[in-house]
Amino acid sequence: MTHDPHSDGLGPSAEMELDQVAMTYPGMVPVRALLPVSVRIQSGEMVAVTGRSGSGKSTLLNVLGLLDRPTGGRYLVRGVDTSVLPESGVTSLRASQFGFVFQSFHLLADRTAAENAELGLMYRGIPARHRRQAAAGALHRVGLSHRMTALPRTLSGGERQRVAIARALAQQPRVLLCDEPTGNLDRRNSELIVSLLTGLNAEGLTVLIVTHEQQIAAALPRVLSIDDGKVTDDITAAAIDRS
């Protein structure tokens, strides 16, 4: 996997392309959450996004995942300029391209692991039989085939996060966007989740991990560091080791 951190040109092979993208939140005192940034993320990359609290990490993730529209610049997903899409087009592109994993799991307490894993497909109107098949396959990928009927309260924190990852995988995304996926876990479970995400990336999934843990970031081949909305793009020692 190769990457030129100094190349800001747009190219057809990029999975995601930020072209001078900026985000300013309006108000009595407007907040510049993201300064103009041009970054390309290729298909199959694994990237960490780091920075202190309030630096703009979640803003960048929300823009990349089409949860927020930037207030400046262009954002292209596989060559599609999202700035010209209607809201319905953005919603459709988000559903087909991105899976989301959050710090707090967001599992429904009265639903089994399998039922939680198929929720995203239910909202998309996928028939029940196909939902169940997709959920079972996703839970198998994260090593939880034996816990399909378990309720969240009977699962460990690491298992709950794996169910959340399975829920994202069931939708067959091209990109997995993870916002502090180890934030509520102990060290052992954190290592297991990072190992799982690394394995999914090895299968070809593009993975971005927002994390404040430098040890996790340093183990990934590329890091986007954010400080007061300014993004710095670095290749890590891990990328050199893998080359």
Side-chain angles (χ1 to χ4, degrees):
M1 186 186 319
T2 60
H3 165 69
D4 178 3
H6 303 293
S7 174
D8 289 337
L10 301 181
S13 64
E15 190 79 43
M16 296 170 282
E17 311 174 50
L18 300 174
D19 180 19
Q20 290 298 298
V21 163
M23 173 66 79
T24 299
Y25 293 107
M28 293 290 292
V29 179
V31 177
R32 300 180 70 190
L34 193 62
L35 301 181
V37 56
S38 294
V39 167
R40 299 176 64 192
I41 297 173
Q42 303 288 2
S43 177
E45 282 202 86
M46 189 167 191
V47 183
V49 180
T50 67
R52 58 184 173 80
S53 179
S55 62
K57 301 189 303 297
S58 293
T59 296
L60 178 61
L61 201 72
N62 287 345
V63 168
L64 289 171
L66 297 174
L67 297 172
D68 290 336
R69 287 188 184 246
T71 53
R74 294 191 305 153
Y75 175 36
L76 284 74
V77 177
R78 305 195 72 205
V80 175
D81 186 349
T82 63
S83 65
V84 300
L85 290 179
E87 195 59 39
S88 59
V90 170
T91 299
S92 177
L93 189 61
R94 180 173 61 239
S96 66
Q97 296 293 309
F98 299 103
F100 298 89
V101 178
F102 302 99
Q103 176 176 343
S104 298
F105 318 136
H106 298 306
L107 303 180
L108 296 183
D110 60 345
R111 302 289 182 93
T112 66
E115 290 168 336
N116 270 287
E118 68 178 73
L119 276 177
L121 297 173
M122 183 182 298
Y123 298 141
R124 289 169 57 183
I126 304 299
R129 179 168 61 88
H130 297 300
R131 291 200 311 265
R132 288 193 292 269
Q133 290 174 344
L139 286 167
H140 175 74
R141 288 179 74 184
V142 302
L144 287 179
S145 293
H146 63 298
R147 301 290 270 154
M148 289 183 59
T149 61
L151 293 173
R153 67 174 178 272
T154 70
L155 300 172
S156 69
E159 287 175 327
R160 278 178 277 172
Q161 190 59 290
R162 281 192 279 163
V163 173
I165 293 171
R167 180 180 56 204
L169 293 176
Q171 301 186 69
Q172 298 185 314
R174 292 183 58 88
V175 180
L176 198 61
L177 299 175
C178 308
D179 195 355
E180 298 283 3
T182 63
N184 284 338
L185 304 178
D186 58 30
R187 175 172 294 184
R188 177 179 175 277
N189 278 303
S190 293
E191 291 173 350
L192 289 173
I193 292 300
V194 173
S195 178
L196 170 61
L197 294 173
T198 300
L200 293 171
N201 173 249
E203 295 175 8
L205 191 65
T206 304
V207 179
L208 275 77
I209 302 177
V210 167
T211 181
H212 66 277
E213 298 182 51
Q214 290 302 315
Q215 185 176 1
I216 291 176
L220 303 189
R222 183 179 178 193
V223 177
L224 300 179
S225 301
I226 307 182
D227 185 19
D228 289 334
K230 182 179 180 180
V231 178
T232 303
D233 192 357
D234 297 308
I235 298 292
T236 68
I240 298 173
D241 291 342
R242 296 181 188 185
S243 63

